[in-house]
Amino acid sequence: YETLFNNMPIAYMKHQLIYNAKGELEDYRVQDINPMFKKYFVQGDVFIGKKGSEIPSSSYKEYLVLYKRMLAEKKSLTIEYYHKRTQRYYEVLFMISAEKDMMDIFCVDITDLRKTKSMLEAVNDKLSMALDVASITPWRWDLESHTVMCDVNRPIELKHCGASEVSLSVPEDQYFSKIHREDRDRVRIAYTALIAGKVNKIREEYRVLDRSDHHYSYEWVEAQAAIDQRDADGKPLSLV
């Protein structure tokens, strides 16, 4: 236990809960911390043995709120914490210890993960803006569920289809029903050739039905498609 405690790459702290004469939780005492916790958070005097209320700049009141909630719900809690001094982000797990009146706190450094996530979000935002400016809508056709799904901005083919605002998904038959009947067979033949492996990608222009202020009209759309996923036998599972 001691070897694991001293060498695990996760910051750890143990709190002993302190109750008043009425049995109400009023404070806690820092029972123990491991070397990684000292490395991440502790400067100057080590505060083992001190009450939360005795530690300068501690968040002991916030801890008490969390602990009362955990004890009432008999659940663990996970929060994200930003350490301003080191400019690092941590995922903090609070758990009711197997030991009586004890709380276990584990801290994992997620700074690199969070930076990567933020970078991906920024890239996705820029991509979304570029696609919007260019009037391009990414879509995915699930050949197993026979549904067409769009990720960004509802395309004209999915207008008035009753698709979910979240998923932007409609059955493929409903999708094709919006295509002008003079173009429909040609478009189906093109997709069939792609699925059958006769071509690597397709590019088709066709008319789709649009409705605006009770007025119906056909708008020209250009669609490009390629195989997205295949199963172990090479059978296409989806198009994009």
Side-chain angles (χ1 to χ4, degrees), residues 12 45 143 147:
Y12 170 78
D45 296 335
L143 300 175
T147 54

Side-chain angles (χ1 to χ4, degrees), residues 12 37 42 103 105 128 140 169 180 219 222 238 240:
Y12 170 78
F37 190 93
V42 177
M103 288 287 179
I105 302 104
S128 177
R140 183 174 184 271
S169 174
H180 194 290
E219 300 286 342
E222 178 184 277
S238 60
V240 289

Side-chain angles (χ1 to χ4, degrees), residues 1 4 14 21 27-28 33 39 66 71 76 86 91 97 102 107 115 118 131 143 158-159 170 186 188 204 230 233 237:
Y1 169 81
L4 175 63
K14 179 182 288 187
D27 210 333
Y28 63 84
I33 58 177
K39 177 182 177 181
L66 289 177
L71 293 169
S76 60
T86 59
E91 185 172 88
S97 176
M102 295 289 184
C107 306
K115 287 181 178 178
S118 297
L131 292 173
L143 300 175
L158 297 189
K159 280 186 177 181
V170 296
R186 172 173 52 82
R188 283 190 180 275
E204 291 289 332
R230 298 178 184 271
D233 298 322
L237 298 176

